[in-house]
Amino acid sequence: MQPVRRLDPLPDWVSDPAVISIMQAAMAGGGRVRFVGGCVRNSLMRLPVADIDAATDVQAEEVMRRIEAAGIRAVPTGLDHGTVTAVKDHVKVEITTLRVDVETDGRRARIAYTDDWAEDAKRRDLTMNALFLDPDGTLYDPVGGLADIETGRVRFVGEAERRIQEDVLRLLRFFRFHAHYGRMAPDEEGLAACKRFAPLLPNLAGERIRDELLKLLAARDPAPTFYLMRQAGVLSHALPEATHLRRLAALTLLTGEMEEAAPDPLRRLASILPDAKAGKEVATRLRLSNAERDRLTAMLKPAADIDPAAGPQDRRRLLYAIGDETYRDLVLLDWARRLADQPGAVPAWVEAGYRVQLAAADGWVRPKLPVNGEDAMALGIPTGPAVGKLLKQVEGWWMEADFRPDRAACLARLKELAG
């Protein structure tokens, strides 16, 4: 495997003292360790690097012994697959022994270790993920990934159909990477292979599909890729409930500036689903966390109370009832719905109303009811449902008064209701 060029200057993360120490320890006694995958790809694209992965021709047990001998923490994160994670000064480097696939079934592979860098590259999913980088900046490109990075072309390594047959999830990774990095029409061979094997997607574990879809939805503008997936017959197998793609496009346009650094994939997921029933089905099938499920279904409830003409008191009352996060979600989703259903026809006053609502949510501090259960019991109300019922009545009166009554007024109202 011949080098193609040298990176000069080195990316900052390569020069990190902790990374240097880990790489030196892993190579002590012979063998090579090279960075691979996303850290190399993102550095070439001048994008932030979150995770540092490396490959080596040294066996995992020996890598672990060397790291520990250097006083560095070694975590056996995947010894069965040849992976060790080295941790120093809160920096993690995941090091995996070079591998070849012996047998695959579309979900998992039986592997064998090798010392052939080019063979390891051939088993990887996409060309842009199969570049190796020496600690001194020497770059290796065994499958033509550098040209694909430079042109924004997402392409499978070798035969697209074979790569997908090895792991069907790669089908979704193809679209996810196209959404994030693609700058030209999708690779025809890859797209054709995705069309062919899309019916196999439901055989995958729900959480694997979830992770890919949420990462895709975190792209700067995921809507064109979702349209592409629908045209290719992939979306009907990956997420058949996704019926409102125009709303996703509208939402992305609306939140572009505010979400530039951190898009909200769950809100974007809600935008393409029809109702709370579909949201619950998706949450179950994709194994969303309880918090994600609850937020998703809350976003998909009818937004009848979201009225761009609402006055300040009505806005505050709704904010108090549902919380600022759900309120903000519903405002943005209702705004996106209007834009998608009536493109170019949303009156200026309506859009101005939505902006006012968002501003109200941004500055919202939830007031606290000035009385509590102890105050009710001090009036002789026995512990139990009667206390909660009485406080609910006081709270409703307090809300109708725009949260203005102070503790003295609330105590008086509580006493009045208690009889």
Side-chain angles (χ1 to χ4, degrees), residues 104-150:
T104 59
D105 63 3
R107 290 179 293 178
R108 61 186 68 84
R110 185 165 63 87
I111 62 166
Y113 299 118
T114 181
D115 59 1
D116 190 324
W117 293 85
E119 286 300 314
D120 180 89
K122 289 177 184 177
R123 68 171 294 278
R124 295 181 181 269
D125 55 359
L126 303 168
T127 59
M128 60 176 57
N129 294 333
L131 292 102
F132 299 102
L133 181 69
D134 276 336
D136 67 0
T138 303
L139 184 69
Y140 302 85
D141 180 20
V143 294
L146 184 57
D148 290 334
I149 285 175
E150 292 172 345

Side-chain angles (χ1 to χ4, degrees), residues 3-43:
V4 293
R5 76 185 211 201
R6 187 164 178 160
L7 299 192
D8 187 18
L10 288 173
D12 291 344
W13 58 271
V14 177
S15 304
D16 186 300
V19 174
I20 292 173
S21 296
I22 289 170
M23 297 298 277
Q24 288 176 342
M27 288 188 286
R32 287 193 173 276
V33 184
R34 291 172 171 142
F35 302 110
V36 69
C39 58
V40 181
R41 179 197 67 233
N42 282 18
S43 294

Side-chain angles (χ1 to χ4, degrees), residues 20 46 75 85 108 127 145 151 173 188 203 209 231 235 243 258 293 301 312 314 318-319 340-341 377 386 402:
I20 292 173
R46 294 179 172 81
V75 183
T85 300
R108 61 186 68 84
T127 59
T151 59
R173 285 174 64 82
E188 290 185 7
N203 297 332
I209 296 178
Q231 292 165 4
L235 196 57
T243 57
M258 71 178 73
R293 176 203 62 206
K301 291 177 181 176
D314 288 333
L318 186 55
L319 274 164
D341 295 348
M377 289 184 286
D402 201 18

Side-chain angles (χ1 to χ4, degrees), residues 265-376:
L266 201 64
R267 186 193 291 141
R268 290 176 171 183
L269 175 60
S271 74
I272 58 181
L273 302 179
D275 50 38
K277 180 176 181 293
K280 289 179 181 178
E281 292 171 354
V282 168
T284 299
R285 190 175 70 252
L286 300 188
R287 300 185 183 180
L288 297 183
S289 69
N290 290 342
E292 289 171 331
R293 176 203 62 206
D294 292 345
R295 184 182 172 211
L296 182 65
T297 53
M299 286 189 281
L300 289 165
K301 291 177 181 176
D305 292 328
I306 299 299
D307 180 1
Q313 183 172 345
D314 288 333
R315 290 196 298 268
R316 287 190 287 269
R317 191 157 45 227
L318 186 55
L319 274 164
Y320 181 83
I322 65 177
D324 58 329
E325 180 184 62
T326 301
Y327 181 90
R328 187 180 293 105
D329 286 337
L330 291 178
V331 170
L332 286 169
L333 289 168
D334 196 59
W335 192 352
R337 176 190 59 78
R338 283 187 185 247
L339 288 174
D341 295 348
Q342 304 170 342
V346 179
W349 72 266
V350 172
E351 298 211 26
Y354 284 127
R355 291 190 184 93
V356 169
Q357 289 180 316
L358 290 177
D362 290 341
W364 173 250
V365 177
R366 193 176 196 273
K368 184 178 179 181
L369 182 66
V371 293
N372 55 36
E374 292 182 359
D375 296 316

Side-chain angles (χ1 to χ4, degrees), residues 157-175:
V157 173
E159 297 177 11
E161 288 196 356
R162 183 174 179 181
R163 294 287 83 77
I164 294 175
Q165 285 176 302
E166 290 167 349
D167 185 352
V168 177
L169 190 70
R170 288 173 170 172
L171 189 163
L172 291 181
R173 285 174 64 82
F174 175 82
F175 290 102

